[in-house]
Amino acid sequence: MSEPPYANRPFRVGVQLQPQHAEYADMRRAVSAAEEVGVDVIFTWDHFFPLGGDPNGKHFECWTMLAAWAEQTERVELSALVSCNSYRNADLLADMARTVDHISGGRLILGIGAGWFERDYQEYGYDFGTPGSRIAALGNSLPRIRARFDRLNPPPMRPIPILVGGGGERKTLRLAAEYADIWHGFGSVDTLSRKNGILDDWCVKIGRDPGEIERSTSARSGPEKLGEQLVAIGERLITVGADGTSGFDLALTRDWVQFRDEHNADKS
């Protein structure tokens, strides 16, 4: 099997510090620990209530926390996995992203998706709509975000990478082909491989090099099981989750960092 067009990218590791079931002081310590471990990206998520455990447990908001992390950290990139398009005006979100980008010294990734968690919508007064209406809204927002970046003064410190999350083959992957610097997908190795191919096809249809889009996914098990399989299909950013119920345990993250270092050393 020939290598995918994005196979020459370095392998990277992220950790998603899920802002649930913990005091903020615990999260702050976890951010420092994750940067010390050597991850490339620290993610949060964009929800208003826990997604696991006690549904009314402790929880914190995404973008105010990203701003704090931008001040706290020195090296890692920062992002939401992913920010919900429905929760903020597109131009406002672009301005928020630009501001956090400056606070961090140019380390922000704008992760964005169409949204799905109905409780967030209901309790905060957003129109939940349908999957089709939410993805259509995302399609309307992405060019607005890009245009607003160009009009802001001062502009972002770098062209802010856009990460698009989601796996819809007719619409989401079409948007990723046009706007994403990183595409984050979900599913088995076979599913990811197939969707990578569909994203490649969309890139060809719109005249974009598929190699421009970094392929990203999440892992719940270690690299001894998945590492080489994910590398073979072109995945280059692997993110591990941790939250307060585990005390933000970074053991699995450390395993992936070691795999990253060994893989990238072999390629150098």
Side-chain angles (χ1 to χ4, degrees):
M1 183 175 66
S2 62
E3 285 192 328
Y6 23 87
N8 60 347
R9 289 177 173 270
F11 194 89
R12 304 201 298 157
V13 175
V15 62
Q16 185 186 52
L17 300 177
Q18 299 161 356
Q20 58 180 8
H21 309 307
E23 301 290 347
Y24 185 73
D26 299 324
M27 297 210 64
R28 195 177 194 286
R29 284 190 288 269
V31 169
S32 294
E35 186 167 49
E36 185 175 349
V37 162
V39 299
D40 299 286
V41 189
I42 300 178
F43 293 97
T44 183
W45 67 30
D46 190 18
H47 295 289
F48 306 130
F49 301 94
L51 298 186
D54 179 0
N56 296 309
K58 296 171 183 175
H59 198 276
F60 292 98
E61 193 275 331
C62 170
W63 277 91
T64 44
M65 198 158 50
L66 282 174
W69 293 0
E71 281 283 6
Q72 177 185 345
T73 56
E74 297 180 355
R75 177 191 56 81
V76 291
E77 291 186 292
L78 301 165
S79 186
L81 191 63
V82 289
S83 190
C84 177
N85 177 65
S86 304
Y87 300 162
R88 299 162 193 90
N89 170 282
D91 293 87
L92 171 62
L93 180 60
D95 202 343
M96 292 166 62
R98 180 280 309 254
T99 300
V100 175
D101 185 60
H102 275 262
I103 295 169
S104 69
R107 294 182 285 119
L108 183 82
I109 298 169
L110 177 54
I112 191 167
W116 63 273
F117 189 39
E118 188 171 5
R119 185 184 179 189
D120 283 349
Y121 286 78
Q122 290 177 340
E123 296 220 25
Y124 277 63
Y126 298 108
D127 179 18
F128 188 56
T130 66
S133 68
R134 294 194 298 276
I135 193 65
L138 176 62
N140 290 331
S141 292
L142 285 166
R144 286 177 58 190
I145 289 168
R146 184 178 281 175
R148 180 57 60 182
F149 283 156
D150 292 337
R151 294 198 296 270
L152 289 168
N153 183 18
M157 295 191 70
R158 63 171 179 172
I160 294 177
I162 293 177
L163 179 154
V164 172
E169 297 173 11
R170 292 187 301 109
K171 297 180 180 179
T172 304
L173 292 182
R174 170 65 178 80
L175 292 173
E178 185 168 0
Y179 295 103
D181 300 285
I182 307 167
W183 171 63
H184 187 89
F186 304 91
S188 67
V189 172
D190 288 343
T191 296
L192 289 168
S193 179
R194 182 174 60 81
K195 289 181 184 282
N196 275 337
I198 293 168
L199 179 54
D200 294 347
D201 291 342
W202 276 119
C203 286
V204 170
K205 288 176 183 176
I206 68 169
R208 188 177 182 195
D209 177 2
E212 295 178 3
I213 303 175
E214 184 177 21
R215 310 306 163 98
S216 168
T217 192
S218 300
R220 295 184 179 182
S221 56
E224 69 284 352
K225 179 179 179 181
L226 288 174
E228 294 302 334
Q229 295 181 64
L230 291 172
V231 164
I233 64 168
E235 298 297 314
R236 289 297 181 270
L237 174 55
I238 306 302
T239 296
V240 180
D243 72 6
T245 60
S246 70
F248 296 103
D249 183 1
L250 298 178
L252 185 58
T253 304
R254 289 187 179 91
D255 291 343
W256 279 104
V257 167
Q258 180 178 349
F259 176 86
R260 176 202 67 191
D261 292 347
E262 292 170 355
H263 172 81
N264 290 343
D266 288 343
K267 289 290 186 178
S268 63

